[in-house]
Amino acid sequence: MNILVFGSKGLVGSSIARRFNSSSNYNVIESSREDTDLFSLSETSKKINASNPDIVIIAAAKVGGIYANNTQRFSFIIENLKISMNIFESLINFPHIKIVNIGSSCIYPLTAKSPISEESLMTGKLEPTNSPYSMAKLSSLEIAKTMKEQFGHKILNIMPTNLYGPNDRFEEFNSHVIPGLIYKMHKGKIGKFDEVEIWGSGAPLREFMHVDDLSSAIEFLIETNSSHELLNIGSNESISIKELAKLIKKVVNYEGELSFNSSYPDGNPKKLLDSSKLNSLGWQSSISLEEGIK
Protein backbone atom coordinates (compact mmCIF):
# COMPACT_ATOMS: atom_id res chain seq x y z
CA MET A 1 0.00 0.00 0.00
CA ASN A 2 1.15 3.55 -0.71
CA ILE A 3 1.32 5.64 2.46
CA LEU A 4 1.81 9.39 2.09
CA VAL A 5 3.22 10.93 5.28
CA PHE A 6 2.88 14.71 5.53
CA GLY A 7 5.39 16.19 7.99
CA SER A 8 7.86 13.34 7.50
CA LYS A 9 10.87 15.26 8.87
CA GLY A 10 9.37 16.12 12.27
CA LEU A 11 9.22 14.24 15.54
CA VAL A 12 6.04 12.30 14.68
CA GLY A 13 6.37 12.01 10.90
CA SER A 14 9.96 10.74 10.94
CA SER A 15 9.03 8.03 13.45
CA ILE A 16 6.05 6.96 11.30
CA ALA A 17 8.25 6.86 8.19
CA ARG A 18 10.85 4.71 9.99
CA ARG A 19 8.16 2.32 11.21
CA PHE A 20 6.48 1.75 7.86
CA ASN A 21 9.73 1.76 5.88
CA SER A 22 10.80 -1.25 7.94
CA SER A 23 7.89 -3.28 6.51
CA SER A 24 7.77 -4.72 3.00
CA ASN A 25 3.96 -4.26 3.01
CA TYR A 26 4.17 -0.51 2.51
CA ASN A 27 5.60 2.00 0.08
CA VAL A 28 6.20 5.15 2.10
CA ILE A 29 6.07 8.52 0.32
CA GLU A 30 7.69 11.06 2.61
CA SER A 31 6.68 14.69 2.31
CA SER A 32 7.99 17.72 4.16
CA ARG A 33 8.12 21.49 3.63
CA GLU A 34 11.15 20.83 1.40
CA ASP A 35 8.93 19.39 -1.36
CA THR A 36 5.43 20.71 -0.60
CA ASP A 37 4.12 23.99 0.77
CA LEU A 38 1.08 22.90 2.76
CA PHE A 39 -0.03 26.53 3.03
CA SER A 40 -0.75 26.25 -0.72
CA LEU A 41 -3.88 24.35 -1.78
CA SER A 42 -2.55 23.80 -5.31
CA GLU A 43 0.80 22.41 -4.11
CA THR A 44 -0.93 20.16 -1.59
CA SER A 45 -3.33 18.82 -4.26
CA LYS A 46 -0.45 18.28 -6.67
CA LYS A 47 1.45 16.20 -4.11
CA ILE A 48 -1.55 14.00 -3.36
CA ASN A 49 -2.36 13.45 -7.03
CA ALA A 50 1.24 12.56 -7.86
CA SER A 51 1.59 10.16 -4.90
CA ASN A 52 -1.55 8.08 -5.57
CA PRO A 53 -1.81 7.09 -1.88
CA ASP A 54 -3.98 4.44 -0.28
CA ILE A 55 -3.44 6.08 3.10
CA VAL A 56 -2.61 9.68 4.03
CA ILE A 57 -1.14 10.33 7.47
CA ILE A 58 -1.30 13.97 8.61
CA ALA A 59 1.69 14.50 10.89
CA ALA A 60 2.46 18.03 9.69
CA ALA A 61 1.83 20.79 12.23
CA LYS A 62 3.29 23.85 13.87
CA VAL A 63 4.13 22.63 17.38
CA GLY A 64 5.88 23.85 20.50
CA GLY A 65 5.83 23.87 24.27
CA ILE A 66 3.89 26.07 26.68
CA TYR A 67 6.09 29.15 26.09
CA ALA A 68 5.86 28.96 22.29
CA ASN A 69 2.12 28.28 22.37
CA ASN A 70 1.48 31.24 24.65
CA THR A 71 3.68 33.78 22.82
CA GLN A 72 2.97 32.82 19.18
CA ARG A 73 -0.78 32.42 19.51
CA PHE A 74 -1.78 33.84 16.11
CA SER A 75 0.79 31.71 14.26
CA PHE A 76 -0.31 28.54 16.02
CA ILE A 77 -3.97 28.83 15.04
CA ILE A 78 -3.49 30.23 11.52
CA GLU A 79 -0.72 27.88 10.37
CA ASN A 80 -2.35 24.73 11.76
CA LEU A 81 -5.73 25.66 10.27
CA LYS A 82 -4.17 26.22 6.85
CA ILE A 83 -2.41 22.85 6.94
CA SER A 84 -5.57 20.94 7.88
CA MET A 85 -7.83 22.80 5.46
CA ASN A 86 -5.57 22.32 2.46
CA ILE A 87 -4.94 18.62 3.05
CA PHE A 88 -8.58 17.76 3.69
CA GLU A 89 -9.87 19.89 0.81
CA SER A 90 -7.36 18.23 -1.53
CA LEU A 91 -8.76 14.82 -0.52
CA ILE A 92 -12.46 15.59 -1.11
CA ASN A 93 -12.56 13.73 -4.44
CA PHE A 94 -10.75 10.66 -3.05
CA PRO A 95 -13.12 8.95 -0.59
CA HIS A 96 -11.26 5.65 -1.10
CA ILE A 97 -8.13 7.07 0.57
CA LYS A 98 -7.99 6.36 4.30
CA ILE A 99 -6.92 9.37 6.36
CA VAL A 100 -5.10 9.24 9.70
CA ASN A 101 -5.40 12.66 11.33
CA ILE A 102 -3.02 13.17 14.25
CA GLY A 103 -4.32 15.60 16.82
CA SER A 104 -3.30 16.42 20.37
CA SER A 105 -4.56 15.77 23.88
CA CYS A 106 -4.80 19.54 24.38
CA ILE A 107 -8.15 19.45 22.54
CA TYR A 108 -9.79 18.31 25.77
CA PRO A 109 -11.25 20.79 28.30
CA LEU A 110 -9.16 22.07 31.19
CA THR A 111 -11.72 20.72 33.66
CA ALA A 112 -12.14 17.29 32.05
CA LYS A 113 -12.11 14.43 34.54
CA SER A 114 -8.79 12.59 34.62
CA PRO A 115 -8.05 10.18 33.04
CA ILE A 116 -9.60 12.01 30.09
CA SER A 117 -11.87 9.93 27.86
CA GLU A 118 -12.85 10.59 24.25
CA GLU A 119 -16.34 11.48 25.48
CA SER A 120 -14.91 14.61 27.19
CA LEU A 121 -14.54 16.33 23.83
CA MET A 122 -16.23 19.76 23.66
CA THR A 123 -17.59 19.59 27.22
CA GLY A 124 -15.80 22.66 28.62
CA LYS A 125 -13.31 25.48 28.20
CA LEU A 126 -9.81 24.87 26.88
CA GLU A 127 -6.56 25.40 28.79
CA PRO A 128 -5.82 29.07 28.00
CA THR A 129 -2.05 28.93 27.31
CA ASN A 130 -2.48 26.74 24.22
CA SER A 131 -6.10 27.37 23.22
CA PRO A 132 -5.22 28.65 19.68
CA TYR A 133 -3.45 25.39 18.83
CA SER A 134 -6.26 23.43 20.46
CA MET A 135 -8.90 25.28 18.43
CA ALA A 136 -7.06 24.50 15.20
CA LYS A 137 -6.95 20.80 16.11
CA LEU A 138 -10.61 20.82 17.11
CA SER A 139 -11.45 22.39 13.76
CA SER A 140 -9.62 19.57 11.98
CA LEU A 141 -11.86 17.08 13.82
CA GLU A 142 -14.98 18.90 12.66
CA ILE A 143 -13.67 19.04 9.08
CA ALA A 144 -12.99 15.31 9.23
CA LYS A 145 -16.48 14.63 10.58
CA THR A 146 -18.17 16.63 7.84
CA MET A 147 -16.05 14.95 5.13
CA LYS A 148 -17.13 11.54 6.36
CA GLU A 149 -20.79 12.57 6.50
CA GLN A 150 -20.90 14.37 3.15
CA PHE A 151 -18.41 12.42 1.02
CA GLY A 152 -18.00 9.05 2.75
CA HIS A 153 -14.33 9.26 3.72
CA LYS A 154 -12.77 6.87 6.25
CA ILE A 155 -10.94 9.06 8.75
CA LEU A 156 -9.25 7.96 11.97
CA ASN A 157 -8.54 10.82 14.37
CA ILE A 158 -5.96 9.93 16.99
CA MET A 159 -5.15 11.99 20.07
CA PRO A 160 -1.71 11.15 21.47
CA THR A 161 -0.53 12.19 24.90
CA ASN A 162 2.63 14.31 25.30
CA LEU A 163 5.25 12.91 22.93
CA TYR A 164 9.04 12.93 22.93
CA GLY A 165 11.83 11.24 20.99
CA PRO A 166 14.33 11.61 18.11
CA ASN A 167 14.03 14.66 15.83
CA ASP A 168 12.34 16.69 18.52
CA ARG A 169 13.29 20.35 18.99
CA PHE A 170 16.00 20.59 21.65
CA GLU A 171 16.17 24.24 22.71
CA GLU A 172 15.20 26.50 25.58
CA PHE A 173 12.20 28.55 24.45
CA ASN A 174 10.28 26.69 21.72
CA SER A 175 10.61 23.06 22.74
CA HIS A 176 8.29 20.67 24.54
CA VAL A 177 9.08 19.88 28.16
CA ILE A 178 11.26 16.75 27.79
CA PRO A 179 13.59 17.98 25.01
CA GLY A 180 13.68 21.38 26.73
CA LEU A 181 14.79 19.80 30.01
CA ILE A 182 17.33 17.56 28.27
CA TYR A 183 18.75 20.65 26.55
CA LYS A 184 18.99 22.57 29.83
CA MET A 185 20.56 19.66 31.75
CA HIS A 186 23.06 19.00 28.97
CA LYS A 187 23.97 22.69 28.79
CA GLY A 188 24.32 22.76 32.57
CA LYS A 189 26.51 19.67 32.58
CA ILE A 190 28.83 20.93 29.82
CA GLY A 191 29.02 24.41 31.38
CA LYS A 192 29.32 23.02 34.92
CA PHE A 193 26.46 25.25 36.08
CA ASP A 194 25.67 25.22 39.81
CA GLU A 195 21.95 25.45 39.04
CA VAL A 196 19.46 24.85 36.23
CA GLU A 197 16.17 26.76 36.22
CA ILE A 198 12.94 24.86 35.52
CA TRP A 199 9.89 26.86 34.44
CA GLY A 200 6.85 26.52 36.68
CA SER A 201 6.34 25.04 40.13
CA GLY A 202 7.08 21.45 39.10
CA ALA A 203 3.75 20.32 40.57
CA PRO A 204 1.69 19.53 37.42
CA LEU A 205 1.19 15.88 36.56
CA ARG A 206 1.77 14.84 32.97
CA GLU A 207 1.70 11.67 30.88
CA PHE A 208 4.49 11.09 28.37
CA MET A 209 4.92 8.57 25.56
CA HIS A 210 7.85 7.86 23.26
CA VAL A 211 6.97 8.75 19.68
CA ASP A 212 7.88 5.24 18.47
CA ASP A 213 5.02 3.90 20.60
CA LEU A 214 2.66 6.23 18.70
CA SER A 215 3.95 4.86 15.38
CA SER A 216 3.43 1.34 16.67
CA ALA A 217 -0.18 2.19 17.55
CA ILE A 218 -0.83 3.71 14.12
CA GLU A 219 0.52 0.60 12.39
CA PHE A 220 -1.64 -1.56 14.67
CA LEU A 221 -4.78 0.43 13.86
CA ILE A 222 -4.13 0.35 10.11
CA GLU A 223 -3.46 -3.39 10.07
CA THR A 224 -6.52 -4.16 12.20
CA ASN A 225 -8.58 -1.83 9.97
CA SER A 226 -9.98 0.06 12.94
CA SER A 227 -13.35 1.70 12.35
CA HIS A 228 -13.07 4.09 15.31
CA GLU A 229 -13.39 7.78 14.53
CA LEU A 230 -11.52 9.08 17.60
CA LEU A 231 -9.00 7.28 19.79
CA ASN A 232 -6.71 8.37 22.60
CA ILE A 233 -3.17 6.98 22.60
CA GLY A 234 -1.19 7.14 25.83
CA SER A 235 1.14 5.30 28.17
CA ASN A 236 -1.26 5.18 31.15
CA GLU A 237 1.47 6.54 33.46
CA SER A 238 1.79 10.03 34.95
CA ILE A 239 4.69 11.87 36.57
CA SER A 240 5.10 15.34 38.06
CA ILE A 241 7.29 17.84 36.22
CA LYS A 242 9.53 17.93 39.32
CA GLU A 243 10.06 14.16 39.29
CA LEU A 244 10.55 14.25 35.51
CA ALA A 245 13.27 16.89 35.93
CA LYS A 246 14.98 14.72 38.55
CA LEU A 247 14.84 11.71 36.21
CA ILE A 248 16.34 13.67 33.31
CA LYS A 249 19.01 15.06 35.65
CA LYS A 250 19.92 11.48 36.56
CA VAL A 251 20.00 10.24 32.95
CA VAL A 252 22.04 13.21 31.70
CA ASN A 253 24.25 13.00 34.83
CA TYR A 254 23.96 16.69 35.63
CA GLU A 255 25.36 17.27 39.13
CA GLY A 256 24.03 20.76 39.94
CA GLU A 257 20.81 21.85 41.65
CA LEU A 258 17.32 22.33 40.19
CA SER A 259 15.50 25.63 40.72
CA PHE A 260 11.75 25.91 39.99
CA ASN A 261 10.55 29.35 38.85
CA SER A 262 6.87 29.71 39.72
CA SER A 263 6.55 32.99 37.81
CA TYR A 264 6.16 30.87 34.65
CA PRO A 265 2.73 29.26 34.01
CA ASP A 266 2.14 25.64 34.94
CA GLY A 267 -0.65 25.01 32.45
CA ASN A 268 -3.10 22.21 33.18
CA PRO A 269 -2.49 20.90 36.75
CA LYS A 270 -3.13 17.28 35.76
CA LYS A 271 -3.48 15.63 32.39
CA LEU A 272 -3.70 11.87 31.83
CA LEU A 273 -5.52 10.25 28.93
CA ASP A 274 -7.91 7.34 29.16
CA SER A 275 -6.56 4.95 26.51
CA SER A 276 -8.78 2.04 27.50
CA LYS A 277 -10.60 1.92 24.13
CA LEU A 278 -7.32 1.38 22.28
CA ASN A 279 -5.97 -0.95 24.95
CA SER A 280 -9.11 -3.10 24.70
CA LEU A 281 -8.31 -3.63 21.00
CA GLY A 282 -5.02 -5.26 21.98
CA TRP A 283 -2.40 -2.49 21.89
CA GLN A 284 -0.25 -1.26 24.78
CA SER A 285 2.71 1.13 24.93
CA SER A 286 6.01 -0.63 25.56
CA ILE A 287 8.78 1.98 26.04
CA SER A 288 9.30 3.05 29.66
CA LEU A 289 9.92 6.73 30.39
CA GLU A 290 13.49 6.23 31.64
CA GLU A 291 14.33 3.96 28.69
CA GLY A 292 12.85 6.47 26.26
CA ILE A 293 14.73 9.41 27.76
CA LYS A 294 18.00 7.49 27.54
Side-chain angles (χ1 to χ4, degrees), residues 269-281:
K270 181 179 181 181
K271 192 166 75 171
L272 175 67
L273 289 184
D274 179 357
S275 301
S276 58
K277 283 187 180 179
L278 174 59
N279 297 153
S280 69
L281 299 177

Side-chain angles (χ1 to χ4, degrees), residues 150-168:
Q150 190 167 343
F151 304 109
H153 288 72
K154 294 181 179 179
I155 304 173
L156 170 62
N157 300 288
I158 56 176
M159 300 302 124
T161 191
N162 299 295
L163 300 169
Y164 67 96
N167 292 322
D168 210 336

